[in-house]
Each structure stands twice: as structure tokens, then as C-alpha cells.
Amino acid sequence: MTSTSATLEELVEQFAKLPGIGRKTAFRLAYHVLKASPESARNLARAILDVKDKIRTCSICFNISDDDPCPICGDAERNQQTLCVVEEPHDVLAFQRAGAFDGVFHVLGGVFSPLDGIGPEDLKIAELVTRAKNGVEEIILATNPTPEGETTALYIARLLKPLGVKVSRIARGLPMGGDVEYADQHTLAKALEGRTEF
Amino acid sequence: MTSTSATLEELVEQFAKLPGIGRKTAFRLAYHVLKASPESARNLARAILDVKDKIRTCSICFNISDDDPCPICGDAERNQQTLCVVEEPHDVLAFQRAGAFDGVFHVLGGVFSPLDGIGPEDLKIAELVTRAKNGVEEIILATNPTPEGETTALYIARLLKPLGVKVSRIARGLPMGGDVEYADQHTLAKALEGRTEF
């Protein structure tokens, strides 16, 4: 036995299960909780339980939300005719933070991954097709520019095209503030391919 | 509003209050909890509450423990005549992990820090003197080799010496596997000062 408190050890174990948290960090966190006020520990515990109890999935866009439909789908000010298709809820957050999009979203819940056995039926693709059929103007495919994201975007584009809806893919190229010298070959190739006229 | 879930936002806030956890990491952790099984979320929440409810301070050594006295003070196999004085409970853990000490501990609960207004009366120094008077053979001062730790050790040594108890300070020198070339001047000076004969 090294620790004198099995209770503290248990919390270290629990923290160490979180992604990116090693034993040392877990101990530091547990020790912080031990030293913190009872109230702040209760707040943390309650927030953890609430996330499991209160958060649901929006039945329209499949984003996580406290309400159904989510505030974005329920917002009459937003352009409900333009759909931005993303992989995960945190991608919605990134677009919202950027403040560059005033349409609505569709969260796939992942991308194709043959190794993990994730195919079209595991993602919200059938639901996207249903939405596309109900009078949407444009569907922007904003999956990540990774092999899996590209494949998933291509698959969805082929599925939607015959429905007569406009389908687009977000631009891939050099990030703002980036450096041509240090850009990898695939990014440079995409940047050339996606060039726009002045 | 960026997030579609105030509940998730709240958990991100709570995680971000932990030391060394920024907003991005906090979001990753919160998202992990959201995706994890209800059981593992409950286990984490319960472990947090238990730490506040169940852990107490050992009335002998002031280490954190589930029981009073702690398992170390209550262990008849350990040498109760040799006290190792440390700053914090995690220092006890370090010695226990190293397995290099079979005596008992005394946790000060910090070190002198004039800037934070922490003086002798804020640490368990009076309690250490009481223990020293009750027939202890040796007291090893194992506060950190920092200005604060050194000052605290010196103060305690001066307090204990008149009691006739043997007082020692842990060695300061090059760490095992270390490099003379890269050692700082204070460490090298201490290493020379503390040299032992072959």
C-alpha cells in the first residue's frame, strides 16, 4: 500500500480514466478536489451527473442539446434552407464560435471507418437524405479533410446529387496565417485545385 | 450563444476550474463524460463527493487518511522512533512509493511563505515539537530544497535541537542519472558540501 487513503486512490483512478489524463495529473486533480471547498466539489459532481441526465439529441440535426429541437434548429432567424453537415457536435461549436455561418447543421455522428466497422447505416445519412428531400437549397459538406472525412463527403455527395439539391464541399487549402514553405503537398495541391479568380 | 447545451457548458466550466485544465481540454473531458456510460459518470461523481466526505486528517501525523490514526501511524511494524517531516501529503506518497523509509511521517501542511502570510503558527510545528518531546530518536527534515523549504527546515531544526533529539536534513545533490555538466550551481555546491568519504 502506498497511499493512506483508498478514497483518494479511487478518485485518482477515476480521473486517470479521462482522455489525456495520466496518473500524475490525476493525482494533482484529486488533490485539488480534496483541498477545494465542499461546494465546488459538489458543483463538479453535479455537473457530471447533469450531463448524463439532461443532455439529449436534437431530433432534427442530431446535435447535442438541452432541448429538442435544439436552439439552432428552433431559431427562426437562421437560414433553415442551408445545411452544414459535420462529423461531431464539437464541429458545430467551432462553426458557431467562428460566427461565419447562419444556416443550420446536420451532425453525422462520425465518418466511415472500415477498420472500426462504421458504415453508412451507423451515421445519420438516411436522416440527411430525408431532410434534403424536404426542400433544402444547399448542403455544405464540412467533414474533416482526412481520408475518412473525404470518403464520407464523396459518398454523401453522390447520394444527394440525384435529388437536385446543391451540394458543396468546404474549401481545403492553406490556413490563414499559414506558410506556403511549410505546407504539405496535399494541402498545396488542394490549394491550387481550389484557386479562385480575382 | 455558441453551445447548444448549457448543461455541457456548465461541465466545461467546472472542469476548466481544475489546475492545468484549459478550456479546450475541459471541453474534451466534458465530451468524454457525455459519451461515456452513465455508470462511469456516476462513479466519477461519487468519487469526487467521497473525497470530501470520507477523507480526514490523521491526528498523529496530519497526513490525509480514511482512518484515524492513518495506516502508517497505526503500523506496529514501522519504526515509530524515526520521523520524516514533509510539506504535503503527496510527499508522503513519494516516500512510500520509493519504499526507502520505514519510519513514520509528520505532515507540516506547507512551508513558510511570508508573501502568503504563512508563518509557524499556520503549520503543524507545535505538534511536531510535542511529538519530539515524547521520546523520538531522529527527526529527518524532508521539506523541498527550495528557499521556503530550506528556511522552514532551518527554523524547525533550531527549535528541536535544544530538546536533545537528533535532527537531520535529507541530502541535496545531483539526482541519480543526472549530469554534472547540466547541474545548476546551487546543486553542485550542495553536492560538494555533502560529499561522503569512500
Side-chain angles (χ1 to χ4, degrees), chain B residues 5-193:
Chain B
S5 168
T7 310
L8 192 71
E9 274 296 313
E10 168 64 15
L11 184 55
V12 173
E13 288 294 326
Q14 291 297 331
F15 273 135
K17 282 182 186 168
L18 297 174
I21 306 285
R23 288 269 318 170
K24 280 210 168 173
T25 307
F27 186 82
R28 191 157 42 86
L29 297 181
Y31 199 65
H32 173 88
V33 170
L34 177 66
K35 291 259 177 176
S37 70
E39 200 202 336
S40 65
R42 269 199 304 275
N43 287 344
L44 176 58
R46 195 186 315 118
I48 289 167
L49 296 175
D50 279 356
V51 155
K52 299 306 291 184
D53 290 343
K54 292 190 186 167
I55 295 184
R56 63 197 75 195
T57 302
C58 172
S59 58
I60 300 174
C61 71
F62 304 98
N63 189 11
I64 53 169
S65 170
D66 290 358
D67 307 295
D68 186 16
C70 75
I72 294 175
C73 289
D75 187 348
E77 305 251 304
R78 297 185 77 109
N79 176 2
Q80 305 277 343
Q81 300 304 309
T82 309
L83 254 62
C84 180
V85 180
V86 296
E87 295 181 14
E88 299 283 355
H90 54 233
D91 300 323
V92 173
L93 206 62
F95 275 106
Q96 287 288 89
R97 245 190 260 114
F101 181 67
D102 78 333
V104 291
F105 295 91
H106 188 89
V107 180
L108 294 174
V111 279
F112 294 168
S113 176
L115 281 178
D116 302 319
I118 295 173
E121 63 290 340
D122 301 305
L123 307 175
K124 301 295 181 190
I125 291 179
E127 292 82 352
L128 177 62
V129 171
T130 308
R131 288 183 81 180
K133 283 177 180 166
N134 291 335
V136 164
E137 269 171 25
E138 180 176 358
I139 293 180
I140 304 166
L141 300 175
T143 52
N144 290 330
T146 56
E148 294 82 4
E150 295 287 348
T151 311
T152 309
L154 194 64
Y155 176 91
I156 294 175
R158 284 185 183 155
L159 215 60
L160 296 178
K161 272 286 184 191
L163 304 178
V165 63
K166 184 178 168 189
V167 183
S168 58
R169 177 90 174 104
I170 50 164
R172 281 120 330 148
L174 269 80
M176 295 301 287
D179 218 318
V180 171
E181 185 184 359
Y182 298 119
D184 65 284
Q185 63 186 92
H186 304 293
T187 302
L188 276 186
K190 279 288 176 193
L192 282 173
E193 195 183 310

Side-chain angles (χ1 to χ4, degrees), chain A residues 1-8 10-11 14-15 17-21 27-29 31-38 40-45 47-52 54-55 63-66 71-72 88-90 93 96-97, chain B residues 1-8 10-11 14-15 17-21 27-29 31-38 40-45 47-52 54-55 63-66 71-72 88-90 93 96-97:
Chain A
M1 190 220 53
T2 48
S3 175
T4 50
S5 167
T7 309
L8 191 72
E10 169 64 16
L11 183 56
Q14 291 296 334
F15 273 135
K17 282 182 185 167
L18 298 174
I21 307 285
F27 186 82
R28 190 157 43 85
L29 297 181
Y31 199 64
H32 172 89
V33 170
L34 177 66
K35 292 259 177 175
S37 70
S40 65
R42 269 198 304 274
N43 287 345
L44 176 58
I48 289 166
L49 296 175
D50 279 355
V51 157
K52 300 305 291 184
K54 292 189 185 165
I55 294 183
N63 189 10
I64 55 169
S65 171
D66 289 358
I72 295 177
E88 299 282 357
H90 53 233
L93 206 62
Q96 287 287 90
R97 244 189 262 116
Chain B
M1 188 221 55
T2 49
S3 175
T4 51
S5 168
T7 310
L8 192 71
E10 168 64 15
L11 184 55
Q14 291 297 331
F15 273 135
K17 282 182 186 168
L18 297 174
I21 306 285
F27 186 82
R28 191 157 42 86
L29 297 181
Y31 199 65
H32 173 88
V33 170
L34 177 66
K35 291 259 177 176
S37 70
S40 65
R42 269 199 304 275
N43 287 344
L44 176 58
I48 289 167
L49 296 175
D50 279 356
V51 155
K52 299 306 291 184
K54 292 190 186 167
I55 295 184
N63 189 11
I64 53 169
S65 170
D66 290 358
I72 294 175
E88 299 283 355
H90 54 233
L93 206 62
Q96 287 288 89
R97 245 190 260 114

